[in-house]
Amino acid sequence: MKLTILGCYAATPRTITNPTAQVLEIKSRLFLIDCGEGTQVQLRKNKIKFSKINHIFISHLHGDHLYGLIGTISTFSLLGRTTDLHIYGPKGIKELILLQLKLTESWTTYNLFFHELESKESEVIFEDKRVIVRTIPLKHRVYTNGYLFEEKPDERKLNVEAVQNYGIHIAYYQKIKNGSDITLDNGTVVENEKLTFDPVKPQSYAFCSDTVYHEDILPIIKNVDVLYHESTFLESEAALAQKTLHSTAKEAARIALKANVKQLVLGHYSTRYDGIERFKEEAQEIFPNVLLADDGLSFEF
């Protein structure tokens, strides 16, 4: 599982920082999460192929998470894209994008599918053979969702030596990898655990930005491998975080601790601060396993 941070700062873009956008590579799938201004430039800088992005997830309709989307969609067309593109986001995102395409007469060269979200309960919005994606309802000034990405378990790994010792025919190998026990010709039942090895444990990633401290998300993100949680402010601006419905680094750490996550990644920093190291210091007072997102960084888990 690889996470590439294209941008992780709040509000307006600067020459040295970019608003929220990131790419999650999981089970050979590339998902673009949020699409702040300048996202397509950051995709190029990080050498991420546009053609591999087929699903874009937008958390909410604030500009620092959205204003790069129309440009990205248009560039896909200029590059001759023909593959379908799916966009997931709050109700209204379809109207917003289609109006821009209409007025600029920039219709896409590919099919564009919108999956508009309204539910305030967690729901499955994408699923294939390898990955499942659920919403994480957040609490912000407008309707907002985080997203939980979970790998589906691999099939069990065949213990070739064991199946050969039992004289099991190759025709049963797939059934064994699917988890079935096997009955031999003499009636002996061989348990699957004797014929296979456990697969690699599936991984999970939760993206939570923007939100005030919100414990309602705990059951959804419990035990995830990696949690990205917004930390717009330091504790000295806790009152401002509450007023604007954002979180502090310490509040993000409290969520990580209570959800028993393995790794916390902080991001969505306010640009009022000179640096970001203090975010990690404050969070680690509560939760030890903290990484700082920053533009252009990649993490492999």
Side-chain angles (χ1 to χ4, degrees):
M1 188 166 68
K2 181 178 180 181
L3 177 66
T4 301
I5 306 298
L6 306 178
C8 62
Y9 289 80
T12 58
R14 301 182 295 172
T15 56
I16 57 171
T17 63
N18 294 275
T20 301
Q22 55 185 244
V23 172
L24 178 68
E25 183 176 350
I26 181 171
K27 286 284 190 178
S28 301
R29 305 284 191 266
L30 255 62
F31 297 120
L32 177 59
I33 309 170
D34 275 347
C35 195
E37 190 175 346
T39 292
Q40 61 176 311
V41 175
Q42 289 296 96
L43 287 170
R44 291 187 186 278
K45 283 184 178 180
N46 288 276
K47 296 180 171 56
I48 296 172
K49 291 185 178 180
F50 290 12
S51 60
K52 289 189 175 182
I53 297 173
N54 298 323
H55 301 270
I56 301 176
F57 297 84
I58 302 297
S59 60
H60 63 296
L61 301 185
H62 278 167
D64 56 334
H65 298 257
L66 175 72
Y67 285 164
L69 183 56
I70 184 62
T72 300
I73 289 172
S74 297
T75 295
F76 282 0
S77 282
L78 292 174
L79 295 175
R81 181 188 179 102
T82 57
T83 307
D84 295 348
L85 180 65
H86 294 260
I87 296 174
Y88 306 78
K91 184 177 181 181
I93 194 169
K94 179 178 180 179
E95 179 184 2
L96 179 65
I97 295 301
L98 291 186
L99 179 61
Q100 293 175 88
L101 292 175
K102 175 184 176 182
L103 294 180
T104 58
E105 298 185 10
S106 302
W107 300 113
T108 60
T109 57
Y110 53 90
N111 293 323
L112 190 57
F113 295 96
F114 293 91
H115 307 264
E116 295 195 306
L117 308 173
E118 296 182 83
S119 176
K120 294 184 179 180
E121 303 293 328
S122 179
E123 59 180 340
V124 174
I125 57 173
F126 170 82
E127 184 174 8
D128 65 9
K129 293 181 180 179
R130 297 183 180 181
V131 181
I132 185 168
V133 184
R134 294 178 172 85
T135 57
I136 306 171
L138 301 175
K139 188 176 181 181
H140 192 43
R141 300 193 304 276
V142 297
Y143 175 77
T144 306
N145 283 301
Y147 297 103
L148 174 62
F149 300 82
E150 296 176 287
E151 293 180 342
K152 289 187 173 181
D154 289 329
E155 60 185 17
R156 297 186 64 80
K157 296 183 182 299
L158 193 70
N159 184 336
V160 176
E161 183 179 353
V163 296
Q164 289 178 346
N165 287 341
Y166 280 107
I168 299 172
H169 193 274
I170 191 174
Y172 294 97
Y173 284 7
Q174 187 59 54
K175 183 178 180 181
I176 294 170
K177 289 193 288 185
N178 290 340
S180 296
D181 298 336
I182 293 296
T183 303
L184 304 179
D185 291 342
N186 62 8
T188 301
V189 176
V190 182
E191 296 177 348
N192 186 267
E193 288 75 10
K194 295 180 180 179
L195 303 173
T196 59
F197 301 111
D198 291 337
V200 176
K201 183 181 179 297
Q203 290 186 292
S204 54
Y205 173 71
F207 169 86
C208 295
S209 184
D210 300 9
T211 183
V212 73
Y213 181 82
H214 190 46
E215 291 191 359
D216 288 2
I217 70 175
L218 293 176
I220 305 171
I221 66 171
K222 188 174 180 61
N223 298 324
V224 298
D225 291 287
V226 183
L227 167 65
Y228 176 96
H229 195 289
E230 77 123 290
S231 54
T232 307
F233 297 107
L234 295 172
E235 202 63 22
S236 55
E237 281 73 48
L240 184 56
Q242 186 68 32
K243 179 181 179 181
T244 59
L245 298 186
H246 282 294
S247 298
T248 67
K250 278 191 174 182
E251 288 172 333
R254 290 189 188 102
I255 290 292
L257 182 66
K258 292 184 177 182
N260 192 39
V261 308
K262 291 182 180 178
Q263 182 70 62
L264 171 64
V265 181
L266 298 179
H268 200 264
Y269 319 109
S270 169
T271 54
R272 69 180 57 224
Y273 303 107
D274 293 333
I276 61 176
E277 193 60 34
R278 282 189 294 162
F279 288 87
K280 184 175 183 179
E281 293 171 359
E282 289 197 357
Q284 284 185 323
E285 293 176 14
I286 294 170
F287 185 82
N289 300 326
V290 179
L291 294 172
L292 291 176
D294 208 354
D295 298 1
L297 284 185
S298 290
F299 305 104
E300 293 195 22
F301 305 99

